[in-house]
Amino acid sequence: MSRRAFGARLAALSAGPVLRFQPPTRPLRADGARVNAALVAFDAIGRTPGGINRVAYSDADLAGRTFALDLFRAAGLRPRIDEAGNIVARVEGAEPRLPPIVIGSHIDSVTDGGNFDGPVGSFGAIEVARSVREQRLALRHPLEAVVWQNEEGGTIGSKLAIGALGGAELDTVARSGRTLREGVARVGGSVERLGEAVRGKGGVHCYLELHIEQGGTLERTSRQIGTVTGIVGLRWFDVAIDGFSNHAGTTPMDQRQDALLAAAKFTVAVNDLVRAEAGRQVATVGRIVALPNTRNVIPGRVDLTVDLRDLDPAVLDRVEARIRQAAAEIGTAGGTTFSVTQSVSSKPAMSDDRLMEAIDRSTALLGFSGSRLPSGAGHDAQEMAQIAPMAMIFVPSVGGISHSPREFSKAEDIANGVDVLLNAVAAADRL
Ligand code: GLV
Ligand code: MN
Ligand code: MN
């Protein structure tokens, strides 16, 4: 259903007698303690001296998925793995033919990450589905709790679920060293039957995701809950720089084709050009591999990554063009060749007004302080926004730290977020 059609349907529902449920005057409560207990137990999976390492398709990721499957079962739910490798469990509603309300997040991590980015929303979704079942809350719509596979590698599971990925893209090598194709099979999906996991427009009533903020706004402004207004679009680039490896002692300084020097200049140029104009756009050179990576040889080849983000596609286009131009200029000046390839992209997504209101109202009903804010991190929610109305709930991140072993959110804040998710689901069910 288009946003306009959704809005029209909402207007019709709120005006006419078809509205079956009155807004609750008393808030619903989930059991946040169960979510926090699961998070504590989950912390042991993929824990290394450098942080949490549950990169998608690794052994630790598989162990995490087994943990999640057990948690679904302990909640009285029957999880299945869809053809894309996402874990899904459904609680039937009073009107089973209606499209489901989908809630969820992910459990894979970045390299040397933390235990809260993803698991909070995944276990929160399982808890909400459990509360709906245990408390016999009469939802009209079916409710589906989902753990998406490989969020950190570019929202892969949710992209597959909306049919936005396939063909040669499945040969992309993930952080674990396995291709997406191998990964889908490894987590129990089926590359041959990926189409069966696709949800089209109108196939989902709405999508809600609980997540840690991963920034410091809520903490700084002493707010307990964030209603996310939109999610940045992101573009990831693989940059290969070819120079010429030669002797570090005998090659004069003016006769070098040093790929690492070019990479250094490019890294500074990316930072400078992004900062040169006002706005919230960000770009990061995050990974760099120099060859032959040895003391007394001029580096002949560098591979590096660029991560570019903004809410406005026009800004992304403009900054991308400048990045490509900087690469060409630095290449020409230093006798190196740059090749810039886009590996992953996700579109910016704006949250649905009615769902944001549902979250705001739930926050107020529960007596929490809230505010609206955009998300600088990517989320599966932005993929789901391509096919359904979407909104997200943020809880504070201590110190605004994330994608780090020091990532932490307080148990009380997490429990608050789970309660807001439950109430928001109940409110969304009436839309
Ligand atoms: C995912 O967490 C991202 O924002 O990169
Ligand atoms: Mn993340
Ligand atoms: Mn995340």
Side-chain angles (χ1 to χ4, degrees):
M1 192 189 312
S2 72
R3 261 168 219 216
R4 184 169 297 172
F6 185 76
R9 193 169 128 207
L10 294 180
L13 282 174
S14 48
V18 259
L19 185 65
R20 290 183 171 199
F21 298 93
Q22 294 304 313
T25 46
R26 279 188 318 166
L28 303 166
R29 298 275 178 189
D31 187 346
R34 292 196 290 224
V35 175
N36 284 306
L39 286 167
V40 168
F42 199 52
D43 186 83
I45 299 177
R47 169 68 62 192
T48 69
I52 293 288
N53 278 284
R54 282 191 296 260
V55 298
Y57 319 136
S58 65
D59 290 348
D61 181 38
L62 294 194
R65 289 169 59 88
T66 301
F67 181 101
L69 285 163
D70 287 343
L71 198 64
F72 273 107
R73 293 188 191 105
L77 303 165
R78 284 198 307 218
R80 70 182 180 89
I81 296 174
D82 73 10
E83 295 76 8
N86 301 308
I87 306 173
V88 188
R90 185 174 166 106
V91 180
E92 285 306 340
E95 299 177 43
R97 298 168 77 100
L98 290 179
I101 296 171
V102 179
I103 55 177
S105 196
H106 63 100
I107 56 166
D108 63 305
S109 78
V110 292
T111 301
D112 292 342
N115 190 43
F116 297 84
D117 170 4
V120 165
S122 299
F123 301 165
I126 294 171
E127 172 58 32
V128 165
R130 179 176 192 167
S131 298
V132 166
R133 209 183 62 78
E134 287 180 351
Q135 297 177 35
R136 297 182 193 284
L137 301 176
L139 298 181
R140 292 164 55 221
H141 297 83
L143 176 66
E144 290 188 8
V146 182
V147 175
W148 303 107
Q149 62 107 334
N150 194 1
E151 190 272 351
E152 297 291 2
T155 49
I156 302 303
S158 48
K159 279 201 177 90
L160 290 170
I162 61 163
L165 198 66
E169 291 165 319
L170 297 173
D171 296 320
T172 305
V173 179
R175 195 75 179 89
S176 63
R178 296 181 171 88
T179 63
L180 300 182
R181 193 179 296 283
E182 291 164 343
V184 167
R186 192 149 204 257
V187 297
S190 163
V191 174
E192 294 71 36
R193 293 170 44 220
L194 278 177
E196 293 172 39
V198 174
R199 300 161 187 260
K201 283 195 173 148
V204 169
H205 176 63
C206 67
Y207 179 77
L208 293 167
E209 181 165 347
L210 169 66
H211 207 281
I212 58 169
E213 181 198 340
Q214 306 182 271
T217 305
L218 294 176
E219 187 181 64
R220 211 167 38 246
T221 54
S222 301
R223 300 297 157 127
Q224 291 164 298
I225 296 292
T227 302
V228 176
T229 52
I231 305 171
V232 290
L234 63 85
R235 295 183 190 174
W236 288 353
F237 302 98
D238 292 333
V239 179
I241 308 171
D242 282 299
F244 190 79
S245 285
N246 207 343
H247 198 290
T250 62
T251 314
M253 293 307 283
D254 63 352
Q255 290 173 33
R256 298 176 175 219
Q257 292 165 273
D258 185 334
L260 186 53
L261 183 63
K265 289 182 175 171
F266 176 73
T267 304
V268 172
V270 168
N271 186 65
D272 287 350
L273 68 87
V274 167
R275 297 174 69 142
E277 61 176 291
R280 301 179 78 126
Q281 66 278 358
V282 290
T284 308
V285 174
R287 182 161 195 255
I288 182 161
V289 180
L291 293 175
N293 206 17
T294 194
R295 189 186 301 270
N296 51 357
V297 181
I298 297 163
R301 163 90 183 203
V302 166
D303 290 286
L304 60 81
T305 60
V306 179
D307 170 315
L308 167 65
R309 304 179 186 217
D310 194 72
L311 271 173
D312 182 350
V315 173
L316 291 173
D317 287 344
R318 194 165 60 238
V319 178
E320 175 181 340
R322 289 188 183 144
I323 288 175
R324 288 183 182 276
Q325 188 187 346
E329 287 171 5
I330 292 165
T332 305
T336 57
T337 313
F338 278 68
S339 123
V340 180
T341 319
Q342 185 176 294
S343 60
V344 166
S345 75
S346 289
K347 293 187 182 129
M350 301 312 288
S351 301
D352 179 85
D353 283 338
R354 299 292 185 116
L355 291 175
M356 286 195 286
E357 280 165 24
I359 294 171
D360 291 345
R361 278 202 311 273
S362 300
T363 300
L365 189 65
L366 285 152
F368 303 143
S369 55
S371 66
R372 292 191 173 190
L373 75 176
S375 172
H379 297 287
D380 294 301
Q382 73 199 104
E383 309 303 343
M384 293 304 283
Q386 307 299 321
I387 61 154
M390 169 285 293
M392 289 188 73
I393 300 157
F394 275 175
V395 293
S397 291
V398 173
I401 299 169
S402 183
H403 282 189
S404 155
R406 291 175 55 204
E407 175 181 282
F408 182 70
S409 288
K410 293 179 188 151
E412 186 191 335
D413 288 331
I414 292 169
N416 293 347
V418 179
D419 280 344
V420 173
L421 179 61
L422 175 60
N423 285 271
V425 163
D429 185 56
R430 294 187 295 273
L431 297 178

